[in-house]
Amino acid sequence: MHEYMSTAARVWGLTCPGFPEEVSRARRWTRDILAGSPLAEDAELIVSELSANAILHTASGRSAGSFHLALAVSSQVITLSITDDGDVETAPKARRPDEEATHGRGLGMVSTLAHRVVVRNSDDGHTVTAELFVEAHPGESTY
């Protein structure tokens, strides 16, 4: 069992300035927390995509912007949430870009990797939450 696991969910938080290099910091942070989990690579990819989206498409990428990452781990689910600084007219949503488009596939990819994705809007920004369900087999550790 992972050293941080218990019967209750554990929750971590990280706030990053809205600089592009902070995406790799959020990815490493996620990888370190989930070391040994079979879902670590998927979680890392999800965090990378959602962090980049926050920086590229919201006020998080402006000079004083930031984004917040929350990671919750239980024996049943890994929950990853990215909250941005908002200031866009529409909430994040998966799109179907044409074949030649160079952007617009990220949230669709997150929706494919995660078992569930929820987008919440508030006056302070948007929170995109992705859940990865841990599928334990009898006799195996979930972590």
Side-chain angles (χ1 to χ4, degrees), residues 42-88:
D42 287 349
E44 189 178 343
L45 188 54
I46 289 168
V47 164
S48 182
E49 188 58 44
L50 295 180
S51 299
N53 283 351
I55 291 169
L56 290 171
H57 302 296
T58 74
S60 293
R62 294 187 186 148
S63 62
S66 65
F67 64 93
H68 182 77
L69 168 58
L71 172 59
V73 179
S74 74
S75 60
Q76 293 86 28
V77 65
I78 295 172
T79 304
L80 307 150
S81 295
I82 300 286
T83 301
D84 63 42
D85 285 345
D87 197 31
V88 292

Side-chain angles (χ1 to χ4, degrees), residues 95-105:
R95 294 183 283 168
R96 291 182 178 241
D98 65 45
E99 291 179 18
E100 295 178 23
T102 58
H103 295 285
R105 293 179 178 81

Side-chain angles (χ1 to χ4, degrees), residues 87-120:
D87 197 31
V88 292
E89 292 184 21
T90 59
K93 62 182 174 184
R95 294 183 283 168
R96 291 182 178 241
D98 65 45
E99 291 179 18
E100 295 178 23
T102 58
H103 295 285
R105 293 179 178 81
L107 198 51
M109 186 232 4
V110 168
S111 296
T112 299
L113 288 172
H115 292 96
R116 184 166 73 148
V117 177
V118 177
V119 178
R120 290 191 171 82

